[in-house]
């Protein structure tokens, strides 16, 4: 009986067919009469066919063939181990081809040493949302990506405005989002404050056909809205906007009555010089986090002219975020130049700030730069982390001691030591800096990569976030372990991947800022 019967379904394994197959077995295998075919090259090839399609077990010469099935070209300089990883992942990413998520995953695969850099794809999502669930990672969804419309060349004039680079976020009692926007490069379009519905639409329109318009009167001249806070006290609500002017800080109040009216409030002289801030509102008080001087300014809105009380923050290194907890105490996120970030609980009456994560081992604390903190419940915090550790060298903005993808984290204070886990999937965020929590949903604002105008590697000013149908790829490198040649190799690999994957009608503009160790 032919051993070829072993490869047929049981219903076909008859003696007659077994005798017939011995003829084919002899011809195909080239064996002598009376010798079994088990262990011969043909049989062994059939037995090992599944291995040819497994990236982990296929011979290395078959790896380019497998990659070619999905239109991916392996680079000659990659190691065999890296080629196997790329082929295994490219099969999954093929299902996402043509999407921003698929392109982001492809760029991660295209670099030779992925742990030495952070690659972020900025597709222009301005406001996002997620519904985190305990015990897992949820996806971040885009709520609003529509920005301004700039007419094509040669006029390049602004047809209508919109969000470009959101910097701060608040929510009204009726559920609308208030977004402070830094505007475009060179003030085109101008900075503004916008009201966004939870369905992802601009709440305020003007003209025929209607186009989005910012909150407040047209005469409201904003320079850089750095913090917004809502007073929900009836009747109606009031919005407080902190605007960083070139030489001072300006506080404006907008009433919810229609049409929205804006008034500039006179702050005490000691507050007008505060810069680099975050803010929160609670029970008639506006709390301003002075990041530079590491203190909190407590402004009684009923006595604006009086000198405000200040709360010192000894022990903090780089405070980034401020929120008022349900018990009235303040929670401040603090970034460190060395080691992971920390969260502090601060009593409004004064006293030393109490660290919340001091007992967490450094390996279990992934926080690097907490730009926003909210309470999910009494003992659980949600922390929005940018993932880029503050660096002391202003000349090289894209070199960092530590770097991770931006993400939302959950901090569970019910156990000792507290547990810090990632609450959102990787990707979808660029440089998120504002967050609010409402009815089980967290809303985020993402301003995109900050545009640096100082330093040896100040990049050219590109206003791609204010233009339609543009996206950016931003690469940050680890300060140690990535030489200048490593950086150039990674950027070349990314450029090659973009050239292969872009549509034929798409144009690319490459702006690089190579740093040195």
């Amino acid at each position: 009986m032919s051993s070829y019967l072993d490869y047929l379904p049981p219903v076909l394994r008859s003696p007659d067919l077994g005798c017939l197959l011995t003829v084919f077995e002899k011809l195909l295998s080239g064996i002598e009469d009376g010798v079994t075919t088990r262990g011969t090259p043909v049989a062994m090839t059939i037995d090992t066919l599944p291995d040819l399609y497994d990236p982990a077990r296929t011979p290395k010469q078959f790896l380019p063939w497998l990659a070619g099935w999905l239109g991916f070209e392996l680079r000659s300089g990659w190691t065999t181990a890296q080629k196997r990883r790329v082929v295994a992942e490219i099969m999954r990413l093929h299902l996402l081809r043509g999407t921003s998520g698929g392109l982001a995953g492809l760029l991660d695969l295209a670099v030779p040493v992925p742990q030495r850099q952070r690659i972020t794809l900025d597709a222009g999502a301005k406001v996002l949302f997620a519904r985190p669930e305990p015990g897992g990672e949820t996806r971040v969804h885009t709520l609003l990506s529509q920005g301004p419309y700039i007419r094509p060349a040669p006029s390049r004039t602004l047809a209508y405005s919109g969000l470009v680079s959101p910097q701060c976020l608040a929510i009204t009692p009726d559920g609308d989002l208030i977004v402070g926007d830094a505007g475009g490069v060179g003030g085109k379009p101008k900075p503004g404050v916008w009201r966004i519905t939870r369905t992802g639409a601009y709440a305020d329109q003007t003209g025929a056909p209607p186009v989005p318009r910012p909150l407040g009167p047209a005469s409201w001249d904003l320079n850089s809205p750095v913090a917004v806070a809502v007073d929900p006290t009836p009747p109606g609500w009031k919005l407080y906007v902190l605007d960083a002017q070139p030489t001072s800080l300006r506080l404006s109040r907008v009433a919810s009555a229609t049409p929205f009216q804006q008034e500039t409030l006179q702050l005490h002289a000691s507050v007008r010089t505060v810069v680099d801030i975050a803010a929160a509102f609670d029970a008639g008080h506006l709390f301003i986090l002075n990041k530079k001087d590491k203190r909190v300014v407590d402004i009684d809105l009923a006595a604006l002219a009086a000198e405000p009380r200040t709360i010192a923050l000894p022990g903090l290194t780089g405070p980034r975020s401020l929120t008022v907890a349900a018990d009235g105490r303040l929670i401040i996120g603090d970034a460190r130049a060395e080691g992971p970030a920390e969260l502090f609980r601060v009593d409004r009456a004064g006293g030393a700030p109490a660290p919340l994560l001091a007992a967490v081992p450094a390996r279990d604390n992934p926080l690097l730069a907490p730009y926003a903190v909210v309470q999910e419940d009494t003992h659980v915090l949600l922390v929005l982390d940018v993932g880029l550790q503050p660096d002391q060298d202003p000349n090289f903005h894209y070199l960092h001691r530590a770097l991770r993808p931006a993400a939302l984290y959950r901090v569970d204070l019910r156990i000792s030591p507290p547990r810090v886990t990632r609450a959102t999937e990787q990707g979808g965020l660029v440089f998120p800096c504002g967050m609010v929590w409402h009815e089980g949903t967290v809303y985020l604002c993402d301003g995109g990569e900050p545009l640096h105008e100082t330093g040896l590697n100040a990049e050219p000013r590109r206003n791609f976030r204010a233009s339609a149908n543009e996206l950016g790829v931003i690469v940050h490198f680890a300060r140690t372990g990535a030489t200048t040649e490593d950086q150039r190799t990674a950027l070349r690999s990314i450029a090659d991947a973009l050239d292969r994957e872009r549509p034929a009608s798409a144009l690319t503009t490459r702006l690089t800022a190579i740093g040195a160790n």
Side-chain angles (χ1 to χ4, degrees), residues 25 31 86 116 118 147-149 169-170 184 192 219 223 247 259 408 411 436 455 468 478:
E25 187 174 5
I31 60 172
V86 168
R116 293 181 184 172
R118 183 182 101 157
Y149 177 67
L169 189 65
S219 59
N223 181 70
T247 59
L408 181 69
V411 179
V436 294

Side-chain angles (χ1 to χ4, degrees), residues 181-245:
D181 184 65
V185 173
K188 299 178 181 180
K190 297 190 302 182
V193 176
W194 299 80
R195 191 163 59 110
I196 309 298
T197 69
R198 283 181 293 162
T199 58
Y202 288 100
D204 304 296
Q205 310 278 335
T206 187
V211 295
R213 68 172 179 85
L215 199 65
S219 59
W220 191 10
D221 185 22
L222 288 164
N223 181 70
S224 179
V226 291
V228 290
V230 171
D231 175 7
T233 308
W237 49 265
K238 291 176 284 295
L239 170 69
Y240 292 91
V241 179
L242 289 160
D243 183 36
Q245 298 288 309

Side-chain angles (χ1 to χ4, degrees), residues 37-63:
T37 61
R38 297 182 190 278
T40 62
V42 172
M44 291 175 63
T45 300
I46 295 174
D47 289 338
T48 59
L49 274 178
D51 292 349
L52 297 178
Y53 306 99
D54 186 342
R57 295 185 293 177
T58 192
K60 63 181 182 180
Q61 60 267 27
F62 277 92
L63 289 170

Side-chain angles (χ1 to χ4, degrees), residues 51-132:
D51 292 349
L52 297 178
Y53 306 99
D54 186 342
R57 295 185 293 177
T58 192
K60 63 181 182 180
Q61 60 267 27
F62 277 92
L63 289 170
W65 173 67
L66 285 179
W69 278 21
L70 298 175
F72 192 80
E73 182 181 347
L74 298 178
R75 293 181 63 86
S76 59
W78 289 350
T79 65
T80 300
Q82 185 185 359
K83 291 179 180 179
R84 294 188 188 279
R85 180 183 69 87
V86 168
V87 171
E89 289 294 321
I90 199 64
M91 293 181 181
R92 176 184 62 84
L93 290 175
H94 186 70
L95 300 175
L96 301 174
R97 200 164 190 175
T99 68
S100 59
L103 181 57
L106 177 66
L107 296 181
D108 277 327
L109 292 179
V111 295
V113 189
Q115 68 269 23
R116 293 181 184 172
Q117 57 267 319
R118 183 182 101 157
I119 303 172
T120 306
L121 184 70
D122 187 352
K126 278 82 172 180
V127 183
L128 309 100
F129 73 96
R131 295 188 175 95

